[in-house]
Amino acid sequence: MLHVDMDSFYASGAERDDPSLKGKAVVVGAGVRGVVLSANYLARTFGIHAAMPVGRAQRLAPHAIFITPEHARYGEISEHIMEIFRSYTPHVEPISLDEAFLDVTGSRRLLGTGRQIATAIRAKVEEQEGITCSVGIAPSKFIAKLASSRCKPNGMLEIPTDRILNFLHPLPVSAIWGVGAKTNEALERLGLRTVADVANTPRATLI
C-alpha cells in the first residue's frame, strides 16, 4: 500500500500558479474571521497551521501573503493528480483532494517495487503539476499513512513487515489514526504515552 499526501497542497497550488510566491510565507485562508486552509512550510515556522483563525495567523506573521481559496482550481489540480495515480494502479482510494491510498500489489510485476513505483509517482506529480508529495509505503493503509506523516515534506518512507513494531512502538499515542485530543488525554492520564506503552498493557486493562 502507498499513502500519497501532497505537501501543503493549497499553498503549493497557489505557488505553482504564481511563481512570484516562491520563497515567501504563503497562507491560504479568507477573511479575518475565516480559518487557515493551508500554510506552506515557511509560514509554519511562525506557528501558523491549518484550522487556525486567519486573524491570529496575521498577527503571528503580518508579512505573510494571505490568499483567498480557489476551490474550483484545487479540484482541477486534484483530478490531474488522481489521474496520475490511476496510471499506476486502478486501485486508488482518495481520502481528500490532496491524499489517497494506492494498492500497487498488482502493479509490481510490470512497474517494479513499491519504492520504485512511489519514486516514479513523486517525480511525475512534480514534473506535471509543479508540486511535491510525500509517500508512505507499507503492507497496510494504517502503517502507510503513519509513514507518510513521518517523512514530510517531499519525502518517502518504507516500512516493511519486519520493521513495523520497531517503527510503531516509539511513536506517541497521538500518532495513531483515530486518537484525538480527548483520547490522548485519557491515555496519558493512565501513563500511556507511546504506542509501546499501549502494546504492553493487558487488553483487559485497556478495556
Side-chain angles (χ1 to χ4, degrees), residues 20-43:
S20 71
L21 297 175
K22 293 283 187 180
K24 299 175 183 177
V26 177
V27 180
V28 178
V32 176
R33 295 185 179 180
V35 297
V36 171
L37 186 61
S38 177
N40 68 4
Y41 287 91
L42 180 56

Side-chain angles (χ1 to χ4, degrees), residues 1-4 134-138 144-145 147-148 151 156-158:
M1 294 299 305
L2 308 184
H3 178 255
V4 187
S134 299
V135 184
I137 311 161
K145 184 170 173 66
S148 71
C151 64
M156 183 171 65
L157 178 60
E158 181 175 11

Side-chain angles (χ1 to χ4, degrees), residues 103-123:
D103 184 342
V104 298
T105 305
S107 305
R108 292 181 297 174
R109 180 174 295 178
L110 288 176
L111 302 177
T113 65
R115 176 175 286 272
Q116 289 170 326
I117 295 171
T119 299
I121 288 173
R122 292 178 64 227

Side-chain angles (χ1 to χ4, degrees), residues 58-98:
Q58 289 174 332
R59 290 192 295 273
L60 288 172
H63 63 286
I65 298 173
F66 288 79
I67 296 174
T68 300
E70 297 183 32
H71 296 286
R73 178 61 176 144
Y74 305 142
E76 180 184 343
I77 297 172
S78 175
E79 184 52 39
H80 293 166
I81 291 167
M82 297 301 164
E83 286 176 7
I84 292 174
F85 296 167
R86 288 190 286 268
S87 72
Y88 288 88
T89 174
H91 304 294
V92 177
E93 182 184 340
I95 304 174
S96 62
L97 287 178
D98 63 336

